[in-house]
Amino acid sequence: MGSPKISRRTMLGQTGLAAAAVGLTLAGCGSSSDSAPEAGGSASSAPLTPVKLQLQWVAQAQFAGYYAAVDQKFYEAEGLAVEIVEGGPDIVPQDVLSAGDVDYAISWVPKVLGSIEKGAKITNVAQIFERSGTTQISFKDKNIVAPGDLAGKNVGSWGYGNEWELFAGMQKAGISTGDIKLVQQAFDMNGFLAGDIDAAQAMTYNEYAQVLESENPATGQLFQPSELNVISWNDVGTNMLQDAIWANSEKLSSDAAYQDTTTKFIKASIKGWIFARDNAEAAASIVTTAGSQLGVSHQQWQTNEVNKLIWPSTSGGIGSISDVAWERTVGIAKGTKNETGATIITADPPQTAKNTAYVTKALEELKAEGVDVEGKAFTPLTVTLQKGGA
């Protein structure tokens, strides 16, 4: 896979590509709130266990929970010194993990299933995103309200493994890739805004906002949601599991210290995501301090929209791996064909592809501490986007 020539600004928010080794260790400073788990230092004077976490992309609120866990010293309280390694366009995060260069990685489930079938020894130990953030958006005058309406249209896709929900939704509606003009979508919304793409891929937490931050030349005002049609793969039923925490399968089976670290890492990460849930604006600021180049309103929008993908948890607590969602994702990965006729995987993944023991233990400990791991009362913020996301 070649490296697309994209600017740091326009590539923000894409989860399909992977990781350049840009190490980042955040200072533990910041304030906690009454609604979030308490921040705290290390429980003892013992040396902290070093841990490297590989992200899918650059610093942004897609990963707010991990940055918050560092900033609020949740990792430190579990005896961990976590280094967050930013992503980029050149290296796939699961490959970095499989090679032993990091301890954990964040990646979408279908992409990793393909890597596992090719021999990667890695395991999903916590499914952080419960819902899909991928949509296909179009202007109202295109009359595209469902997958079946994509026939004969210029349909944008980033590719690189981001296209499977789109293809599954089309095929569910009886539309093949031959029935559309598939457009290689750049990592921005310029082609869509210029009219070259009728229906464009857009993450709820990034590209959709990019459109709403843009000025409609016909009105001189920012585009409004009422001017767009949005196909959500959650509604269509072809949504696939996205951001999960992945661990080294072989170390999970043989290394007791790594097993213990895995539970601690998941527990502290969940605390970080709870902080982001209950302190969305503060979490956005933490990510900005960490180096995100998104504007203030865009970063707040992203934090808010990512929270919607996590909360409320309907499967017993954040990080739980729903059997229904897992089987749906595997089924789509096996049964959906791309434009060349290939599928993501050809057979069911091995049992080692997921392991719920560590997240279950982490959730039990948090519940015993009185921590709200389900967020049933979660209410999203109302974020007003500014021009250019400023």
Side-chain angles (χ1 to χ4, degrees):
M1 177 175 71
S3 301
K5 295 185 180 298
I6 45 183
S7 70
R8 182 178 173 90
R9 173 63 184 85
T10 58
M11 73 183 182
L12 294 172
Q14 299 313 309
T15 54
L17 304 179
V22 182
L24 176 63
T25 304
L26 300 180
C29 60
S31 60
S32 61
S33 81
D34 293 337
S35 58
E38 286 188 12
S42 177
S44 71
S45 59
L48 300 177
T49 300
V51 170
K52 285 187 176 182
L53 170 65
Q54 178 67 66
L55 302 183
Q56 293 184 108
W57 206 247
V58 295
Q60 58 179 20
Q62 180 186 350
F63 315 111
Y66 312 110
Y67 284 106
V70 174
D71 182 87
Q72 297 294 298
K73 298 190 176 183
F74 298 141
Y75 290 126
E76 187 175 331
E78 295 296 327
L80 308 178
V82 173
E83 177 185 357
I84 297 179
V85 184
E86 285 192 59
D90 296 321
I91 303 172
V92 178
Q94 58 264 32
D95 289 350
V96 180
L97 173 62
S98 186
D101 296 329
V102 295
D103 300 288
Y104 304 100
I106 309 301
S107 190
W108 287 10
V109 171
K111 299 175 185 181
V112 180
L113 291 179
S115 296
I116 290 174
E117 185 162 274
K118 294 175 183 176
K121 307 296 184 183
I122 51 182
T123 300
N124 182 346
V125 291
Q127 185 59 51
I128 300 301
F129 285 13
E130 181 173 321
R131 302 164 187 86
S132 168
T134 312
T135 67
Q136 209 74 17
I137 68 172
S138 58
F139 287 114
K140 285 285 180 70
D141 62 1
K142 300 297 182 181
N143 297 314
I144 301 171
V145 297
D149 299 326
L150 295 170
K153 303 294 186 180
N154 295 328
V155 179
S157 171
W158 301 305
Y160 303 112
N162 295 287
E163 67 273 23
W164 294 101
E165 291 168 300
L166 164 65
F167 290 168
M170 288 168 45
Q171 290 168 36
K172 184 177 181 180
I175 304 297
S176 72
T177 55
D179 296 323
I180 65 170
K181 181 180 179 182
L182 187 63
V183 180
Q184 177 63 56
Q185 186 174 326
F187 293 93
D188 55 44
M189 298 304 285
N190 293 340
F192 174 71
L193 293 170
D196 299 328
I197 297 174
D198 297 322
Q201 283 195 326
M203 303 305 293
T204 57
Y205 51 79
N206 189 29
E207 290 75 24
Y208 179 65
Q210 287 181 24
V211 174
L212 300 181
E213 295 162 358
S214 301
E215 187 176 290
N216 182 342
T219 65
Q221 304 297 317
L222 298 184
F223 284 107
Q224 298 299 309
S226 59
E227 298 176 79
L228 300 168
N229 284 326
V230 179
I231 298 174
S232 167
W233 304 119
N234 297 298
D235 296 336
V236 173
T238 59
N239 50 311
M240 304 177 81
L241 291 171
Q242 298 188 342
D243 290 31
I245 298 174
W246 298 86
N248 183 298
S249 304
E250 294 177 331
K251 291 176 69 175
L252 285 178
S253 67
S254 61
D255 187 333
Y258 184 74
Q259 295 167 3
D260 183 55
T261 295
T262 299
T263 299
K264 292 177 177 178
F265 178 79
I266 294 171
K267 181 180 178 181
S269 296
I270 289 175
K271 285 185 175 181
W273 281 112
I274 293 171
F275 179 89
R277 176 193 72 196
D278 298 337
N279 306 271
E281 292 183 351
S285 296
I286 288 170
V287 179
T288 299
T289 300
S292 175
Q293 296 186 10
L294 293 169
V296 173
S297 69
H298 190 109
Q299 189 69 77
Q300 290 179 352
W301 174 283
Q302 189 168 103
T303 308
N304 195 45
E305 292 301 316
V306 166
N307 271 329
K308 294 178 185 179
L309 304 182
I310 301 171
W311 311 106
S313 168
T314 64
S315 54
I318 174 178
S320 298
I321 306 173
S322 161
D323 288 339
V324 172
W326 180 266
E327 291 169 5
R328 180 181 62 248
T329 299
V330 169
I332 293 172
K334 289 170 55 182
T336 302
K337 296 181 179 180
N338 65 11
E339 65 273 26
T340 68
T343 59
I344 300 177
I345 54 177
T346 59
D348 287 335
Q351 291 185 347
T352 54
K354 66 180 175 74
N355 187 325
T356 61
Y358 303 97
V359 70
T360 298
K361 184 176 181 181
L363 288 170
E364 288 174 350
E365 292 180 7
L366 289 167
K367 290 176 183 177
E369 296 171 12
V371 176
D372 175 12
V373 299
E374 296 186 15
K376 291 182 179 179
F378 166 70
T379 302
L381 302 177
T382 299
V383 178
T384 301
L385 288 165
Q386 303 299 321
K387 185 176 180 178

